[in-house]
Amino acid sequence: MTADTPGKKHRSRVSTRQRKAELEATIEQQRLMLLEATREWHQAGQKIDRGFTRLIPFRTPLLIAGGVALLPLLRRPGHIVRIARKAATTAFIANRALRLFRTR
């Protein structure tokens, strides 16, 4: 038998078709997983998007207030760390208080 016998070509075609079908099935599974991951990602980001959308009307006043608040801090850079600690503590306490009131 030589390499060009019809039996080997037929087996090669079947093997190629089978491999192609396996690859297509793998690609389809990956597409489904990607769609599911995309859906989960959008759901996880909805809360952040809603919060950002609520802040948009206050954008200009917040930028102005931030600029005014930075002026004294730029004069005394050592106070930035102290103010950052106070802001972080206040945010932590506010978050805990909101959680406490939501559960009741």
Side-chain angles (χ1 to χ4, degrees):
M1 280 170 77
T2 63
D4 295 335
T5 59
K8 282 192 175 184
K9 284 185 179 180
H10 178 67
R11 275 186 258 135
S12 176
R13 279 190 217 133
V14 171
S15 163
T16 303
R17 287 180 187 159
Q18 184 180 14
R19 178 73 178 139
K20 182 180 176 183
E22 290 172 359
L23 288 172
E24 286 176 348
T26 302
I27 290 169
E28 183 63 27
Q29 184 63 32
Q30 289 175 349
R31 285 180 181 160
L32 292 173
M33 290 170 55
L34 184 60
L35 285 172
E36 179 65 22
T38 302
R39 186 184 62 78
E40 289 175 4
W41 180 65
H42 281 290
Q43 284 180 344
Q46 280 180 345
K47 187 175 181 180
I48 296 170
D49 291 340
R50 280 193 309 268
F52 184 74
T53 304
R54 288 181 189 155
L55 289 178
I56 288 176
F58 305 108
R59 181 179 176 193
T60 303
L62 287 173
L63 288 173
I64 292 170
V68 170
L70 278 178
L71 291 175
L73 293 176
L74 292 175
R75 291 185 194 143
R76 291 168 284 179
H79 292 216
I80 293 174
V81 174
R82 187 176 53 157
I83 291 173
R85 283 184 191 153
K86 286 182 180 181
T89 303
T90 303
F92 178 75
I93 291 171
N95 189 15
R96 288 293 182 165
L98 285 174
R99 281 187 186 175
L100 179 67
F101 291 125
R102 281 186 202 153
T103 58
R104 290 185 178 191

